[in-house]
Amino acid sequence: MHEMALTESIVDILQEEARRRAFSRVTLVRLEIGALGHVDPRALAFCFDAVSRGTIADGAALDIVSVPGQGWCFDCEKATPLEERFGACAHCGGRRVQMTGGDEMRVKEMEVE
Amino acid sequence: MCSVCGCGTATIETTRKAGTPDHSHHHGHGHDHTHDHDHDDDHAHSHDHDHVHTPHGALDYGAGAAGAHAPGLTQERMVSIERDILSKNDEYARENRARLADQHVLALNFVSSPGSGKTTLLVRAIEDLKDKFDIAVIEGDQQTSNDAARIRATGAPAIQINTGKGCHLDAHMVGHALDDLPRQDGGLLFIENVGNLVCPAAFDLGEAHKIVVLSVTEGEDKPAKYPDMFAAADLMLLNKSDLLPHLDFDVGACLAAALRVNPRLQTLVVSARSGEGLAAFYAWIEARASGAKAP
């Protein structure tokens, strides 16, 4: 359950931002989570509910935006969607694909008051 | 779009049951108001919002009315922050890395499932390398200091980190362990992570390399089943090779699976028990240790 640790990091980030930007409550948190990343969005949502209790993000909605996997095929010399980290190129079926996106784990924005 | 705060353009990720329509929710926030929202499919309905749609279609009744506010009394605003969730860990990892570089220490983070033979491998490596290098060890386990005791029996200093419920070491814990270890200038630091083939992949500890240890008793498709760890590692040690005559383990298939996940992965077949392959492993370490020492 490293999602618990990740969620604690999210709440830490929110609290730091609250100090820096002077707001007292977070009502929505929008995350970007790569589809090929290390994290299960369902577990993250579950943990967020527990970890945010009693913090400035208590009761905040969590909006998880899934970032699709993307790669670069060296044979086609163009971008290809990736279904899995070590997936084949969608155009030529080749394996010489470098992952270029899809393992993001970011707090993108939040709604505060 | 919500007229109060302007939010609601993103699609909330949901896990849909088969047969339920795919639609975008335009109301993923915690205040009460009435609004229209569009569904991508063509059914129309109305419902009261006394709950918040959390990701995956779960409904949170605690975030609605209790979290409501009167518009106009407080001002909501969207704040863009764009921060990596692991940025805190990564800061600590940078500090650890700078500190280790300053002392010319080569730090190796050993990751594997429980029972792959990491501790036995480290004990053997320390015995074989201790005349050449000062070696210190950080041991990560949920409970007990058994592993640190095994390491200390070799004479090497070891710090045990008990993570309690935690499933991985993080850079902050490692920083504290470094505080408690004697300096090993020009030496090696072995970090034995919590036995877990999933979570430690995401956490940079400030190490130079992650080394994933897989044993031949585990099944050759482990790299395909747990790709994150093999993708994060620079070297794979396929351990317990002395058991191969008793197993149906296909070494070629295992290495192929690992390379499919991570084409840059280096692989060595070793046995901490018989010593097979360890000379190559030590050569790998020595090549990198001299790099760590170079100005």
Side-chain angles (χ1 to χ4, degrees):
Chain A
M1 279 298 269
H2 65 298
E3 279 79 4
M4 192 61 94
L6 295 178
T7 311
E8 284 164 358
S9 301
I10 294 170
V11 172
D12 282 348
I13 287 173
L14 299 180
Q15 281 171 332
E16 263 182 41
E17 294 290 333
R19 275 195 298 278
R20 187 181 307 166
R21 299 168 194 251
F23 56 81
S24 55
R25 220 167 90 71
V26 178
T27 50
L28 175 128
V29 182
R30 186 163 291 136
L31 307 178
E32 277 183 344
I33 301 293
L36 308 183
H38 300 290
V39 74
D40 175 12
R42 267 163 300 182
L44 206 58
F46 176 81
C47 293
F48 184 77
D49 192 42
V51 171
S52 62
R53 260 181 221 150
T55 73
I56 53 160
D58 198 340
L62 191 65
D63 180 4
I64 299 181
V65 180
S66 179
V67 181
Q70 263 238 320
W72 178 263
C73 176
F74 291 108
D75 293 325
C76 301
E77 296 187 337
K78 60 181 174 183
T80 170
L82 273 188
E83 293 297 320
E84 39 186 12
R85 189 179 274 274
F86 48 96
C89 172
H91 311 295
C92 70
R95 291 271 173 192
R96 300 206 317 132
V97 178
Q98 171 99 48
M99 188 171 83
T100 54
D103 63 353
E104 296 80 357
M105 285 197 286
R106 332 195 67 210
V107 184
K108 181 146 182 63
E109 55 189 0
M110 57 193 169
E111 184 184 84
V112 303
E113 59 181 43
Chain B
M1 183 191 286
C2 161
S3 58
V4 176
C5 59
C7 69
T9 50
T11 303
I12 294 187
E13 184 171 332
T14 54
T15 40
R16 295 183 297 277
K17 293 190 183 78
T20 37
D22 178 6
H23 60 248
S24 301
H25 286 287
H26 286 188
H27 43 254
H29 50 265
H31 48 248
D32 268 358
H33 51 189
T34 57
H35 58 206
D36 296 316
H37 55 261
D38 298 322
H39 291 274
D40 291 339
D41 51 277
D42 55 11
H43 71 268
H45 61 222
S46 63
H47 46 206
D48 292 326
H49 284 287
D50 57 350
H51 57 257
V52 166
H53 289 260
T54 56
H56 310 288
L59 302 181
D60 184 351
Y61 288 88
H69 72 283
L73 293 180
T74 55
Q75 193 179 11
E76 294 206 341
R77 58 195 164 110
M78 289 304 287
V79 177
S80 172
I81 47 180
E82 302 275 352
R83 281 179 60 179
D84 277 351
I85 293 172
L86 283 172
S87 55
K88 201 88 186 175
N89 181 75
D90 292 346
E91 265 170 50
Y92 286 120
R94 265 196 299 280
E95 282 171 23
N96 293 347
R97 188 165 282 121
R99 186 165 163 183
L100 293 162
D102 192 44
Q103 301 172 9
H104 306 293
V105 169
L106 177 71
L108 303 173
N109 178 4
F110 289 81
V111 290
S112 82
S113 48
S116 66
K118 283 193 299 303
T119 313
T120 304
L121 186 72
L122 293 189
V123 166
R124 174 87 190 233
I126 292 167
E127 294 289 0
D128 292 342
L129 292 172
K130 67 182 177 188
D131 292 337
K132 284 187 179 161
F133 297 100
D134 286 331
I135 304 173
V137 179
I138 295 172
E139 281 288 338
D141 281 299
Q142 285 198 320
Q143 303 284 340
T144 85
S145 53
N146 296 353
D147 283 358
R150 284 172 66 189
I151 298 291
R152 286 189 200 113
T154 67
I159 298 286
Q160 179 79 48
I161 299 174
N162 283 139
T163 56
K165 302 295 174 213
C167 51
H168 59 271
L169 293 177
D170 65 41
H172 190 223
M173 298 171 185
V174 169
H176 279 304
L178 287 176
D179 292 340
D180 293 340
L181 279 172
R183 281 179 70 118
Q184 309 278 332
D185 285 39
L188 306 177
L189 174 68
F190 294 159
I191 303 169
E192 184 179 339
N193 219 311
V194 177
N196 176 342
L197 213 42
V198 183
C199 308
F203 292 83
D204 182 8
L205 305 180
E207 74 274 358
H209 304 282
K210 280 192 179 73
I211 298 179
V212 61
V213 182
L214 181 67
S215 63
V216 298
T217 51
E218 292 179 64
E220 59 243 5
D221 57 351
K222 274 282 160 73
K225 286 178 172 170
Y226 298 92
D228 288 350
M229 192 62 89
F230 294 85
D234 295 314
L235 174 67
M236 172 169 107
L237 297 177
L238 186 57
N239 193 24
K240 306 191 188 178
S241 65
D242 54 298
L243 295 176
L244 280 171
H246 311 288
L247 303 168
D248 295 325
F249 188 90
D250 185 338
V251 172
C254 180
L255 299 182
L259 290 172
R260 208 158 37 240
V261 176
N262 179 357
R264 288 181 304 275
L265 188 68
Q266 294 178 284
T267 60
L268 289 171
V269 179
V270 302
S271 166
R273 195 154 175 230
S274 72
E276 181 192 346
L278 290 182
F281 175 43
Y282 300 154
W284 188 94
I285 290 178
E286 284 178 44
R288 279 147 191 87
S290 58
K293 262 184 212 169

